[in-house]
């Protein structure tokens, strides 16, 4: 294996001291232009790359922020990561993006890796419903911010969306269309978002003086298109097919749409359909999807801002914040006209 080129090799090649090379790299204003040029020529010739880990040890603070999301196959989390990455890059930091795949054991391994690497801080959407992974990570004394989750006031920073309001918006929209019975398709109910969106839908029914059993609930183990197709098959097997379906995210809604289409069920003529997240593909679906929009980029940007504040020069003055953003319903063709009241 080729030997790694070090700062001493550059100094020897340029005919200067190690301190001069260090100044050229870190404090170039202290070195004459002629000497800088000679050192840079040696760097280029030898292919020298400075050791970021060594620099971090000297500085006592990493320039890497870690981000751990539930599902990188979901465009919603891509948008969240985009907002966080932009904010981190503006501060001169890099982002290490990882995917727990909704698996608590994967989450635990990544959190351990982040601790070993002594990252500056972590943006995390928890996969472990018990909170044990984060409780263990907290003892590492590395700051973290919850993303798409709400934390108790003062425990840590968090950025989330009011999912109860989002569920209310979705159900209200379907009720306004004349539907009097709704079906809610959710992922696993240990996820707070799935519970809160159902709570909002039930509140909308109560506001219209409709009974709680006017909402049929179908729970599937994942929040992806395959699980949506599974939910669609279960919808079709119901003794009375629903006229209105609200899904806990857009990927589930796409799967339901595929199942309905394959069975010859028209959307929205036979079944009205609402998703959640308003990912980029919602408007481009075969039947453009009505969806509850989450401000995903803003969520990521805000979470990164809070983490930068907590790990910056004024960290001692940082106060944990619980930021709750508001959703917005975007109506499209998938909730046109109900076929029956």
């Amino acid at each position: 294996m080729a030997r790694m080129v070090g700062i001493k090799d550059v100094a020897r090649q340029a005919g200067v001291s190690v301190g001069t090379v260090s100044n050229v790299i870190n404090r170039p204003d202290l070195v004459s232009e002629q000497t800088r040029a000679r050192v840079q020529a040696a760097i280029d010739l030898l292919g020298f790359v400075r050791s970021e880990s060594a620099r971090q040890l000297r500085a006592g603070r990493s320039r890497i922020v870690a981000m751990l999301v539930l599902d990188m196959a979901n465009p919603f989390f891509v948008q969240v990561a985009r907002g966080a990455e932009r904010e981190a890059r503006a501060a001169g930091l890099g982002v290490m993006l990882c995917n727990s795949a909704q698996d608590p054991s994967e989450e635990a391994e990544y959190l351990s890796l982040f601790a070993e690497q002594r990252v500056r801080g972590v943006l995390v959407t928890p996969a472990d419903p018990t909170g044990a992974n984060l409780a263990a990570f907290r003892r590492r004394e590395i700051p973290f911010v919850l993303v798409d989750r709400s934390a108790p006031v003062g425990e840590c920073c968090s950025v989330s969306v009011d999912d109860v309001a989002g569920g209310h918006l979705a159900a209200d929209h379907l009720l306004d269309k004349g539907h009097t019975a709704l079906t809610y398709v959710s992922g696993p109910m240990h996820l707070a978002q799935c519970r809160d969106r159902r709570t909002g839908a039930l509140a909308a029914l109560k506001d219209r003086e409709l009974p709680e059993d006017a909402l049929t609930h179908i729970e599937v183990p994942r929040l992806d298109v395959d699980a949506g197709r599974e939910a669609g098959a279960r919808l079709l097997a119901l003794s009375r097919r629903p006229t209105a379906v609200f899904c806990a995210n857009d990927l589930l809604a796409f799967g339901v749409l595929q199942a309905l289409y394959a069975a010859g069920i028209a959307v929205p003529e036979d079944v009205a359909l609402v998703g959640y997240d308003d990912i980029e593909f919602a408007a481009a679906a075969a039947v453009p999807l009505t969806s509850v929009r989450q401000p995903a980029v803003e969520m990521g940007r805000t979470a990164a801002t809070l983490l930068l504040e907590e790990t910056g020069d004024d960290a001692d003055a940082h106060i944990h914040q619980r930021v709750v953003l508001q959703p917005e319903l975007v109506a499209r063709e998938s909730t046109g006209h109900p076929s029956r009241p």
Side-chain angles (χ1 to χ4, degrees):
M1 295 179 62
R3 184 176 65 85
M4 183 175 292
V5 174
I7 194 170
K8 292 181 179 179
D9 300 306
V10 174
R12 188 180 303 111
Q13 178 68 31
V16 298
S17 69
V18 169
T20 298
V21 177
S22 178
N23 283 337
V24 169
I25 295 171
N26 299 298
R27 296 176 295 277
D29 54 301
L30 300 180
V31 185
S32 70
E33 183 177 351
Q34 182 179 12
T35 301
R36 287 203 309 270
R38 191 161 75 249
V39 170
Q40 187 59 52
I43 287 173
D44 294 341
L45 177 66
L46 298 174
F48 169 75
V49 178
R50 70 175 178 177
S51 170
E52 181 62 17
S53 59
R55 191 203 67 78
Q56 290 175 11
L57 285 172
R58 290 191 298 271
R61 185 164 56 182
S62 172
R63 292 177 58 227
I64 298 297
V65 169
M67 186 168 192
L68 183 59
V69 301
L70 282 182
D71 183 8
M72 279 305 298
N74 187 338
F76 166 73
F77 287 110
V78 175
Q79 291 292 93
V80 174
R82 182 175 300 171
E85 192 269 344
R86 287 175 182 171
E87 193 68 16
R89 290 299 298 156
L93 305 178
V95 176
M96 178 196 304
L97 182 59
C98 301
N99 178 30
S100 72
Q102 304 180 48
D103 184 339
S105 63
E106 289 281 335
E107 176 183 81
E109 290 181 13
Y110 274 121
L111 290 174
S112 179
L113 174 65
F114 299 156
E116 291 172 7
Q117 296 296 316
R118 299 303 300 174
V119 297
R120 185 188 188 102
V122 178
L123 304 171
V124 56
T125 304
D128 177 15
T130 71
N133 287 341
L134 283 178
F137 185 71
R138 189 186 303 277
R139 294 194 289 271
R140 307 283 193 142
E141 298 184 347
I142 296 175
F144 63 87
V145 175
L146 300 188
V147 184
D148 199 30
R149 292 288 191 277
S150 184
V153 176
E155 183 174 290
C156 65
C157 284
S158 65
V159 184
S160 61
V161 169
D162 188 341
D163 284 312
V164 174
H168 202 293
L169 283 172
D172 255 346
H173 178 70
L174 292 169
L175 295 170
D176 286 343
K177 290 289 185 180
H179 301 278
T180 56
L182 313 178
T183 297
Y184 175 54
V185 175
S186 82
M189 289 298 281
H190 66 73
L191 296 176
Q193 294 99 319
C194 293
R195 295 196 304 271
D196 288 348
R197 292 165 196 178
R198 181 176 182 272
T199 297
L202 288 172
L205 291 173
K206 185 176 181 180
D207 290 345
R208 309 288 181 109
E209 298 184 346
L210 292 169
E212 186 170 316
D213 62 10
L215 183 72
T216 301
H217 182 197
I218 293 178
E219 181 181 351
V220 289
R222 301 174 312 281
L223 287 158
D224 56 26
V225 176
D226 284 344
R229 283 192 287 264
E230 174 190 328
R234 290 165 61 182
L235 280 169
L236 292 167
L238 293 174
S239 57
R240 178 173 173 80
R241 192 180 67 226
T243 66
V245 178
F246 163 41
C247 295
N249 77 357
D250 288 342
L251 298 183
L252 287 175
F254 292 156
V256 169
L257 181 62
Q258 290 176 11
L260 295 176
Y261 179 80
I265 307 299
V267 174
E269 291 81 5
D270 298 322
V271 177
L273 184 63
V274 176
Y276 205 105
D277 291 339
D278 194 35
I279 62 177
E280 183 178 356
F281 304 117
V287 180
L289 182 66
T290 293
S291 186
V292 178
R293 175 179 294 165
Q294 297 201 78
V297 172
E298 182 183 355
M299 184 185 296
R301 181 191 60 78
T302 302
T305 298
L306 292 173
L307 187 62
L308 293 175
E309 289 177 0
E310 188 173 355
T311 60
D313 294 335
D314 298 323
D316 290 342
H318 176 78
I319 298 175
H320 289 323
Q321 298 181 52
R322 181 185 182 187
V323 178
V324 180
L325 305 174
Q326 292 303 308
E328 170 191 4
L329 186 122
V330 181
R332 298 191 180 95
E333 284 85 338
S334 69
T335 51
H337 302 286
S339 59
R340 58 183 185 271

